[in-house]
Amino acid sequence: MQYTQLGHTDLNVSRICFGCWQLSPSFWGEVPTGPWAEAVRRAHELGVNFIDTADAYGDGHAETELGKLLKKDGTRDQFIIATKFYWNFADGPRHPDTTHDYILRACEASLQRLQTDRIDLYQIHAWDPITRPDEVARAFATLKQQGKVRWFGVSNLNPEQMDLYRRHFDVSCLQPPYSLLARDIETRELPYCLNHNIGVINYSPLFRGLLGGHYRPDSIITGNRAKGPLYHGEGLRIVLAAVEEAKKIAAGLGLTMPELALRWTLTNPAITSAIAGVRKPEHIEGVAKAAETTLPQKIWHDLASLFVKAKSDALAAAKA
Ligand SMILES: NC(=O)c1ccc[n+]([C@@H]2O[C@H](COP(=O)([O-])OP(=O)(O)OC[C@H]3O[C@@H](n4cnc5c(N)ncnc54)[C@H](OP(=O)(O)O)[C@@H]3O)[C@@H](O)[C@H]2O)c1
């Protein structure tokens, strides 16, 4: 496993991060916690020292399970824990909330669920257009001064939004989507983060499993993912044909498809760590090798071109 500094922080994180969104039944269905717990332990054995979760994952469920497990195993101090706030699910139907008092309450609740006295990286899950950045900053200053949070990060923000926050507090990290099928951040967000030495931890590196190499053209993907145009019908068939081509490239490098897909994201110098979504030990075992090195220039570009064409053909087919 490779490790690297997260932006300008003192956090030395593994280049693979363990993502806990899978413990969110409203999106992924019920996930048994036994294999999930084994996956956390396996990740630790493989050298993964970085875990990403959020209070919103299962409305507290993911943080609660993680807290229980790390307490039981006595491994809290061996992981760098990143969590998020933004979705207020404590006061009726969930809604965005980044007000001063809510942030202090949300952080306290996360600390209790995680059974820890500090959060290593506390992230705003998304942009809240109706709360002033200086109000967010006041809450952050209190949390930092109390030693409850070490570093602050943001997720799903553009450079203008990061600029607004950065006038009031230190933004250490951005968490955006990034994969062979989702490259929007290459134009603005990644250069911005490189320029300001902000770490980037990309989510959905397998495009929610589609780049995992285990789907076939006749596969039926159910649940929330099925709503996306690339996850069913002709769109799915076209993307999976590109995945078959990519598997040949992977085999030539001695890699599997998920390893290749994660390594492709980690080859971008702006990316600090790729967050892999994990339900069972095989998931983390299947991607750990991705972090050993980077891809050669030509192969990175060949893959990029393959999936640019596949995505555009797939979206056109889905519209037809
Ligand atoms: N900040 C945000 O707004 C945000 C949004 C989304 C995610 N995240 C974070 O990022 C993490 C990763 O995102 P994601 O869950 O979308 O990630 P992903 O890694 O793109 O997809 C995860 C899915 O891929 C499949 N998979 C996992 N490992 C595999 C392997 N080795 N081989 C083949 N298939 C594999 C599994 O689904 P199947 O086997 O069912 O196909 C798994 O549920 C989340 O857990 C969360 O921590 C953050």
Side-chain angles (χ1 to χ4, degrees):
M1 180 60 56
Q2 277 190 348
Y3 301 86
T4 190
Q5 194 181 345
L6 181 76
H8 53 271
T9 73
D10 59 358
L11 303 174
N12 193 35
V13 297
S14 50
R15 295 207 75 204
I16 304 287
C17 175
F18 186 106
C20 293
W21 180 35
Q22 277 55 30
L23 290 191
S24 190
S26 63
F27 191 92
W28 293 97
E30 289 298 332
V31 167
T33 47
W36 175 84
E38 283 313 311
V40 176
R41 294 181 177 127
R42 189 73 188 110
H44 183 234
E45 285 165 10
L46 290 164
V48 173
N49 72 352
F50 193 17
I51 299 183
D52 176 70
T53 187
D55 59 359
Y57 296 166
D59 287 357
H61 176 57
E63 285 186 337
T64 301
E65 289 303 320
L66 184 61
K68 274 198 293 196
L69 180 70
L70 300 187
K71 185 80 174 180
K72 185 173 170 203
D73 290 359
T75 47
R76 163 64 188 96
D77 293 343
Q78 290 165 45
F79 287 105
I80 291 162
I81 296 184
T83 192
K84 315 182 195 78
F85 69 93
Y86 172 83
W87 290 109
N88 180 339
F89 52 88
D91 306 323
R94 49 155 73 188
H95 58 277
D97 197 341
T98 66
T99 54
H100 173 271
D101 293 358
Y102 175 71
I103 293 175
L104 298 185
R105 267 203 296 146
C107 184
E108 208 51 54
S110 285
L111 287 167
Q112 280 186 20
R113 284 189 291 261
L114 289 164
Q115 303 195 44
T116 184
D117 59 354
R118 73 203 178 278
I119 291 164
D120 300 304
L121 179 66
Y122 200 35
Q123 307 158 102
I124 306 178
H125 214 141
W127 177 248
D128 173 5
I130 58 165
T131 305
R132 292 180 60 88
D134 54 304
E135 178 166 348
V136 175
R138 270 198 303 120
F140 282 6
T142 302
L143 294 174
K144 183 102 184 168
Q145 188 259 326
Q146 293 175 336
K148 291 180 177 168
V149 172
R150 292 173 70 190
W151 300 95
F152 296 96
V154 296
S155 181
N156 300 307
L157 262 53
N158 65 35
E160 289 75 22
Q161 294 164 336
M162 284 189 272
D163 268 340
L164 277 173
Y165 279 153
R166 289 181 61 246
R167 283 200 202 116
H168 299 276
F169 59 89
D170 179 37
V171 172
S172 307
C173 182
L174 171 68
Q175 181 174 148
Y178 185 54
S179 71
L180 276 159
L181 287 166
R183 296 177 54 200
D184 290 352
I185 59 164
E186 280 176 6
T187 321
R188 299 176 65 241
E189 285 76 7
L190 292 186
Y192 179 92
C193 289
L194 268 181
N195 194 24
H196 295 288
N197 199 13
I198 294 171
V200 181
I201 56 177
N202 60 306
Y203 71 76
S204 302
L206 295 180
F207 203 70
R208 299 180 178 172
L210 203 50
L211 297 169
H214 55 310
Y215 288 113
R216 304 172 53 83
D218 57 354
S219 295
I220 307 285
I221 301 179
T222 54
N224 281 298
R225 282 182 292 181
K227 293 174 193 154
L230 304 185
Y231 294 88
H232 61 263
E234 191 58 7
L236 177 64
R237 199 191 59 71
I238 292 169
V239 169
L240 292 181
V243 169
E244 287 309 308
E245 283 304 303
K247 275 186 190 173
K248 292 179 200 159
I249 298 175
L253 295 165
L255 297 174
T256 63
M257 182 61 208
E259 289 165 349
L260 181 76
L262 258 77
R263 189 172 291 182
W264 185 88
T265 71
L266 290 169
T267 299
N268 190 312
I271 300 293
T272 311
S273 182
I275 315 175
V278 180
R279 264 189 298 113
K280 52 186 180 180
E282 293 82 353
H283 281 162
I284 194 71
E285 284 160 359
V287 293
K289 194 176 163 187
E292 281 174 7
T293 180
T294 52
L295 291 176
Q297 189 92 5
K298 180 170 184 316
I299 290 181
W300 191 93
H301 284 287
D302 285 349
L303 284 163
S305 306
L306 174 67
F307 281 93
V308 163
K309 178 159 178 7
K311 186 175 178 183
S312 118
D313 290 351
L315 289 176
K319 271 195 198 132

